[in-house]
Amino acid sequence: MADFDTPELKEYPVIPHIQEGVMAHSKPFVAKEEFQEQLGFPGELVDNWEQVAIDKMGELTGKYRSLQVFLDSCVKCGACTDKCHYYLGTTDPKNMPVARQDLFRKVYRRYFTFAGKHFPKLVGATDLTKEVLDDWYSYFHQCSQCRRCSVYCPYGIDTAEISMAAREVMDCIGVGQKYCNEIIGKVYKIGNNLGLPQPALADTLEGLEEDIEDDTGVAVRLPLDEKGADVLVVTPSADFFAEPHVDGLMGYAKVFHEAGISWTLSSHASEAANFGMFIGSYENMRKVSLRIREAALDLGVKRIIFGECGHAWRVAYSFLNTLAGPFDFLDPKYPVPMHIMEFTYDLIQRKGITLDKSANDDMRLTYHDSCNVARASRMGPKPGGQFVLPREVIKASCNHFFDMPQDTIHEATYCCGGGGGLLTDDLMEIRVKGALPRMEALKHVVEEHGVTHMAAICAICKSQFAKVMPYYGFSMDSIVSVHQLVSNAIVLGNKQ
Ligand code: SF4
Ligand code: SF4
């Protein structure tokens, strides 16, 4: 199955002994010239790369105050050391969050602090060498930017932000990651990560409409580029294509149908994902986000609703107004943006849709909180809504729901192992090993409660789990979309 050993599922939790350097070989493919240049980065390692990198570090620490505070304030208390799923799954000490940060911090100290300039050995400061750069490329691509470590750090130091900065510095000297940069280029050229052009998208949606009608006898529309619709739905392109994502998309369509609200997808903004965040590039994140604004203006919609995608929701919830606002042309009655979970939850509360829970009686469910939703956003007006709303929608759609252990859910949730731009086959080993803590928590509810399926609201989590679950003895179709459950349970034709 693979040329590495899958970690053994243990009694949860066990903190492993360290094994130095065991993951030093793990590196993603480097982006070719064409993928670099379309994002405005040099095509290959520039001649004076050390100076360019140091200048960029200076620019970033000057621009992002938080980054400099994070680099200056670690007291080496060790609280974060056993909190990263990649350390727990690989045992490599450089996957401890504090050690990962130090790869960047030791260079920052050397060039930007008095002690590091004059007494480098005393403060653990080092020159930026090719060896250090190699370590950056390896270990900053073993961080899914999940922010779990920051929850346990008494100073709130966010390794994700350091990892984003390191990736941006590497892009600026010509050493970008193929997977992320190629995908961002596809969004610019075609509109989505999958490179699905408008005719193929239209064809796919037509096929889904036929599937729903064959299945239910009800004509439910999945409109594309429909001017004058009330709602623009921006969803990850995986929703158009892969299982179980596409079942979730059919769920959104059925909910809009029953609510009697006109909606549309857009071929121009046919991607909710925004990989600009993963590479730490504000400019690229902004360019991707602006397509949503352009589509909303062009179609004349009143609201924007995001589909099930974890980091897309973080970008939307936290940054969309700054990146692409103001959205003063939308209906001020609704939040900008809104999550599909808020929309469906609200309808359930108002009895605007009818759900027959028994339609999901073949499943016993648990729920995986996606990192970017859990630790970098909210849903609804109340704190913690991002934990409550998805669970309430699941419980309204099925009879059997069981949470995983408390220290693996909500704010303490473990990453799926494939986030932050790591969802590529060249990183399969780190993806499988990083999934270990989540798989152990899943095993717990499988044994305690006979759980058969895990629901999620993130395209990356769903793709990652479908791929790595078989390594741990679970079936690839035991991961489901939350709106897939809604789709199964919704009673069509009940509301007018
Ligand atoms: S942000 Fe997540 S992946 Fe990165 S070091 Fe922290 S816990 Fe690990
Ligand atoms: S928990 Fe925070 S202060 Fe403590 S070692 Fe980790 S990053 Fe440093």
Side-chain angles (χ1 to χ4, degrees):
M1 204 165 182
D3 56 0
F4 55 86
D5 292 330
T6 303
E8 196 187 325
L9 290 175
K10 304 172 293 295
E11 279 313 303
Y12 179 81
V14 174
I15 311 302
H17 293 299
I18 60 167
Q19 298 188 76
E20 281 188 29
V22 287
M23 289 303 288
H25 62 277
S26 174
K27 296 176 202 289
F29 295 144
V30 177
K32 287 190 191 137
E33 211 172 317
E34 60 187 288
F35 302 136
Q36 284 286 100
E37 287 174 350
Q38 63 191 352
L39 272 59
F41 301 128
E44 56 184 30
L45 189 66
V46 295
D47 289 340
N48 57 338
W49 65 270
E50 298 94 332
Q51 193 54 50
V52 176
I54 292 156
D55 290 347
K56 191 71 194 176
M57 283 178 89
E59 183 196 317
L60 295 180
T61 48
K63 197 158 62 172
Y64 305 126
R65 187 101 184 109
S66 52
L67 179 63
Q68 189 179 345
V69 170
F70 294 155
L71 292 170
D72 283 334
S73 57
C74 174
V75 294
K76 303 287 187 294
C77 70
C80 64
T81 50
D82 59 352
K83 302 303 186 291
C84 178
H85 50 292
Y86 292 121
Y87 168 64
L88 296 173
T90 67
T91 73
D92 190 320
K94 283 187 182 157
N95 277 326
M96 291 176 173
V98 58
R100 194 185 317 284
Q101 295 164 21
D102 272 358
L103 296 174
F104 198 79
R105 184 177 285 120
K106 65 186 183 183
V107 178
Y108 162 79
R109 281 199 175 139
R110 178 74 180 96
Y111 298 96
F112 297 96
T113 65
F114 179 84
K117 279 179 191 165
H118 299 285
F119 318 105
K121 286 207 175 115
L122 277 182
V123 293
T126 54
D127 289 347
L128 179 55
T129 61
K130 187 68 179 48
E131 203 183 355
V132 171
L133 181 63
D134 285 348
D135 256 2
W136 279 20
Y137 196 72
S138 182
Y139 290 100
F140 285 116
H141 289 110
Q142 296 184 50
C143 170
S144 55
Q145 305 171 343
C146 77
R147 310 181 85 218
R148 187 171 195 268
C149 48
S150 71
V151 172
Y152 298 90
C153 173
Y155 296 89
I157 294 173
D158 184 359
T159 318
E161 203 164 313
I162 296 173
S163 146
M164 287 169 190
R167 292 190 195 176
E168 185 168 18
V169 171
M170 289 190 281
D171 266 325
C172 289
I173 59 171
V175 190
Q177 184 216 16
K178 175 178 183 277
Y179 173 64
C180 284
N181 294 5
E182 184 178 6
I183 272 184
I184 296 170
K186 274 191 212 163
V187 175
Y188 294 158
K189 273 194 206 133
I190 301 165
N192 54 67
N193 290 4
L194 289 179
L196 207 59
Q198 198 274 353
L201 188 52
D203 200 46
T204 303
L205 297 176
E206 214 179 291
L208 295 178
E209 287 177 348
E210 283 167 18
D211 288 350
I212 296 177
E213 189 158 5
D214 287 351
D215 195 35
T216 65
V218 179
V220 172
R221 297 196 58 222
L222 282 100
L224 180 65
D225 295 332
E226 206 151 278
K227 292 206 179 210
D230 279 348
V231 176
L232 167 65
V233 172
V234 184
T235 206
S237 55
D239 278 0
F240 304 128
F241 184 69
E243 297 284 345
H245 317 248
V246 74
D247 302 295
L249 176 62
M250 292 195 273
Y252 318 155
K254 290 180 186 175
V255 170
F256 283 114
H257 176 91
E258 277 303 286
I261 291 178
S262 67
W263 69 292
T264 186
L265 294 155
S266 154
S267 56
H268 182 66
S270 48
E271 184 59 73
N274 192 328
F275 279 30
M277 187 175 79
F278 296 154
I279 62 167
S281 168
Y282 183 88
E283 267 320 304
N284 281 290
M285 194 158 72
R286 183 164 176 274
K287 246 176 110 176
V288 173
S289 294
L290 280 171
R291 298 179 72 92
I292 296 169
R293 178 189 179 82
E294 289 154 7
L297 280 168
D298 179 49
L299 296 168
V301 296
K302 299 184 183 131
R303 308 162 69 174
I304 301 173
I305 295 183
F306 275 72
E308 296 185 6
C309 181
H311 82 280
W313 181 238
R314 178 182 183 188
V315 176
Y317 180 86
S318 303
F319 314 127
L320 194 66
N321 273 294
T322 315
L323 292 165
F327 286 95
D328 46 5
F329 57 92
L330 298 175
D331 188 334
K333 284 206 301 286
Y334 304 102
V336 183
M338 197 176 192
H339 196 284
I340 188 73
M341 207 56 64
E342 295 174 295
F343 181 73
T344 301
Y345 173 79
D346 177 60
L347 280 169
I348 293 170
Q349 298 305 302
R350 295 193 286 109
K351 305 206 185 311
I353 52 174
T354 306
L355 297 167
D356 171 14
K357 296 182 185 194
S358 68
N360 286 309
D361 271 354
D362 56 330
M363 292 186 244
R364 295 170 74 79
L365 284 137
T366 192
Y367 175 66
H368 165 76
D369 292 281
S370 301
C371 309
N372 278 300
V373 175
R375 287 187 284 264
S377 74
R378 272 194 192 172
M379 272 179 205
K382 292 188 192 154
Q386 73 272 31
F387 310 127
V388 174
L389 268 59
R391 283 174 174 78
E392 289 305 314
V393 170
I394 295 171
K395 285 189 217 161
S397 307
C398 76
N399 282 310
H400 309 291
F401 176 78
F402 308 90
D403 252 323
M404 287 180 275
Q406 204 58 37
D407 55 348
T408 75
I409 60 170
H410 291 195
E411 202 178 32
T413 189
Y414 276 111
C415 174
C416 63
L422 309 188
L423 193 76
T424 167
D425 283 353
D426 38 318
L427 291 176
M428 209 56 214
E429 180 178 0
I430 190 73
R431 287 172 53 189
V432 170
K433 292 182 173 176
L436 176 74
R438 173 49 77 225
M439 293 295 100
E440 286 178 340
L442 174 63
K443 178 173 173 265
H444 179 85
V445 281
V446 166
E447 289 173 355
E448 289 274 312
H449 303 292
V451 160
T452 58
H453 291 79
M454 181 163 69
I457 57 166
C458 171
I460 287 178
C461 297
K462 291 174 208 171
S463 301
Q464 158 76 351
F465 284 132
K467 195 90 181 225
V468 302
M469 277 174 144
Y471 286 83
Y472 290 99
F474 301 109
S475 140
M476 68 182 295
D477 57 9
S478 24
I479 178 73
V480 295
S481 299
V482 171
H483 273 80
Q484 175 179 354
L485 304 173
V486 175
S487 176
N488 293 343
I490 196 165
V491 180
L492 292 177
N494 217 37
K495 306 279 169 196
Q496 293 304 321

